[in-house]
Amino acid sequence: MKPKACILLLINLLTLTFAKAQTESSFYQPGVTPEGAVYFLPKTAVKVIVQVEKKTYTPGDFCKYAERFLRIKNVSSMPSVSYRITSIRQEAVAVADTSKRYAVEFNAKTSASNVRLSDDGILLAINAEPNKQKATKPFVASPRPTAINPRKYMSEEILAAGSTAKMAELTAQDIYEIRESRNLLVRGQADNMPKDGEQLRLMLSQLDLQDRTMTSLFTGITECDTTEHVLTIIPDKEVSQGLLFRFSEKLGLVDKDDLSGAPYYITIEDLKTVPAPEPIDPKKKLKQVAGIYVNVPGKMLSTISNTKEAVLSTQFPAGQFGNVELLSAALFNKRYTTHLWLNPLTGGVDKLEAEQPK
């Protein structure tokens, strides 16, 4: 996350304390000002990344003669489009937990402070540079190969043929001749053998291209395109078999209410790795005491399934399934310069250092 705000104060002149106990955090907006700062702690959202491949089949001009002249069976004469899921993965990302909003006020009794927040107001560090997160590489679809017109390789005799059946027959004869020439080159029996390996490679490559291109007149052309779909789930509590998306082999990803697609579900389970917090008195819920609040994150298990089986299960740390802990304001008194690094995903303490002034 990129730091949004930074305030540098001279050592021993300004200090860090929390806002007065009766202040209601609902009036604050996250950010850093000369008077103080308001920050959020994060909670974990789950990004579900689904890659879908689309196949488009276009029949060839000679598809009806594929078995007759090339002995290729079951060639369809009808165009078609189909979809399939090639991969599903899950990633954890941090989002601001607006229920964990805290105010901090600067005064002149403790060490100087440098408060670093993310773009959405999450506390990242105090008196330190925030930990860097690995950037996710954006999805880039593979370029589609350049289409070649098969008629480019047709002889004058083929183009002058009086019927489609005759054109198919003559084209099949050319394909067999191309394959025979390739076999002779591979065996070293061609009349005009290339002088070196590179020339041989180029000749074989050109023969393979002609073979594929002309054979496509019988077998048709199948083009593949891959798209990526990102779904973000922000669980505040456990989820049992929540509808995530629907998928159709003929339409791809469809709306949740489109029953033409088969359902995929997500289940979020609190693994209860952190003891449940004690109940809070509603009258004291908005009150704050001196110190820095940090997360003690728990863990959650996110499982994606279809109607038959579980497809993928991934475990993530989760601040919303943990507790909040108070770091005492004594850590930021005048005798020390305290450096605090928080985990940008969980809001837990990654590192805490205190320097005594020389």
Side-chain angles (χ1 to χ4, degrees):
M1 300 182 191
K2 296 181 180 178
K4 168 187 176 184
C6 169
I7 180 167
L8 299 174
L9 307 178
L10 296 176
I11 295 178
N12 298 326
L13 291 181
L14 299 177
T15 63
L16 179 68
T17 62
F18 263 83
K20 296 178 181 179
Q22 298 299 326
T23 302
E24 293 188 5
S25 61
S26 60
F27 288 101
Y28 289 120
Q29 295 298 323
V32 177
T33 68
E35 292 77 25
V38 175
Y39 66 90
F40 293 131
L41 292 179
K43 59 182 174 182
T44 299
V46 179
K47 285 175 61 176
V48 180
I49 300 100
V50 184
Q51 289 190 354
V52 178
E53 181 186 72
K54 176 184 178 182
K55 282 188 176 182
T56 304
Y57 169 73
T58 304
D61 294 345
F62 306 148
C63 61
K64 295 180 180 179
Y65 306 98
E67 184 174 2
R68 178 178 174 183
F69 294 125
L70 293 182
R71 304 296 187 267
I72 301 175
K73 298 181 179 181
N74 302 321
V75 174
S76 174
S77 60
M78 298 298 294
S80 64
V81 177
S82 63
Y83 295 82
R84 70 183 183 99
I85 295 176
T86 57
S87 72
I88 299 178
R89 70 180 192 276
Q90 301 184 93
E91 295 179 359
V93 294
V95 297
D97 189 341
T98 56
S99 69
K100 296 178 181 178
R101 181 188 301 179
Y102 302 101
V104 63
E105 182 181 65
F106 302 122
N107 62 40
K109 292 182 180 179
T110 60
S111 62
S113 64
N114 166 13
V115 177
R116 307 301 297 269
L117 304 180
S118 69
D119 289 339
D120 50 357
I122 297 174
L123 179 63
L124 300 177
I126 295 177
N127 295 332
E129 286 297 316
N131 293 325
K132 293 183 179 180
Q133 286 187 292
K134 293 182 180 179
T136 302
K137 292 183 179 180
F139 171 77
V140 179
S142 299
R144 182 181 295 182
T146 303
I148 300 176
N149 187 351
R151 294 181 179 274
K152 172 183 177 181
Y153 299 112
M154 287 184 176
S155 64
E156 183 179 356
E157 183 181 4
I158 296 174
L159 294 174
S163 67
T164 302
K166 187 62 177 179
M167 290 182 70
E169 181 182 3
L170 294 174
T171 301
Q173 291 176 4
D174 274 8
I175 292 173
Y176 286 126
E177 289 178 5
I178 290 170
R179 293 175 181 176
E180 179 63 22
S181 297
R182 182 176 56 197
N183 289 336
L184 291 173
L185 283 172
V186 171
R187 296 168 185 167
Q189 299 174 354
D191 293 337
N192 297 311
M193 287 298 296
K195 297 179 180 180
D196 54 41
E198 179 61 20
Q199 189 177 9
L200 175 62
R201 186 189 67 80
L202 291 174
M203 291 177 68
L204 290 174
S205 176
Q206 184 61 31
L207 289 171
D208 285 341
L209 178 61
Q210 291 182 30
D211 186 352
R212 290 195 307 272
T213 303
M214 297 187 73
T215 301
S216 70
L217 288 166
F218 294 88
T219 60
I221 298 174
T222 299
E223 296 178 322
C224 295
D225 292 302
T226 300
T227 55
E228 184 174 88
H229 306 265
V230 179
L231 309 170
T232 302
I233 311 300
I234 308 175
D236 290 316
K237 58 183 180 180
E238 290 186 306
V239 177
S240 178
Q241 293 285 296
L243 183 59
L244 183 61
F245 64 87
R246 289 182 179 272
F247 177 77
S248 166
E249 292 183 354
K250 294 184 178 180
L251 300 174
L253 256 68
V254 296
D255 293 337
K256 290 183 179 181
D257 57 357
D258 188 340
L259 300 183
S260 66
Y264 278 72
Y265 304 99
I266 187 166
T267 296
I268 303 292
E269 180 185 356
D270 179 3
L271 297 181
K272 296 179 170 45
T273 56
V274 176
E278 296 182 1
I280 299 175
D281 185 344
K283 296 180 181 179
K284 299 180 180 179
K285 190 172 183 179
L286 297 177
K287 294 183 179 181
Q288 302 174 24
V289 295
I292 295 294
Y293 287 91
V294 298
N295 274 338
V296 181
K299 291 182 179 181
M300 67 181 181
L301 183 66
S302 178
T303 302
I304 297 173
S305 59
N306 54 30
T307 55
K308 298 179 180 179
E309 60 184 355
V311 177
L312 176 67
S313 289
T314 313
Q315 192 176 118
F316 298 113
Q320 61 266 47
F321 294 130
N323 291 330
V324 175
E325 185 178 70
L326 177 66
L327 299 181
S328 172
L331 290 170
F332 298 90
N333 64 33
K334 195 173 181 179
R335 292 177 298 170
Y336 303 99
T337 299
T338 300
H339 306 280
L340 174 64
W341 291 265
L342 297 186
N343 186 293
L345 177 62
T346 68
V349 176
D350 267 352
K351 191 176 181 181
L352 182 67
E353 290 182 352
E355 293 181 7
Q356 289 188 355
K358 298 180 180 180

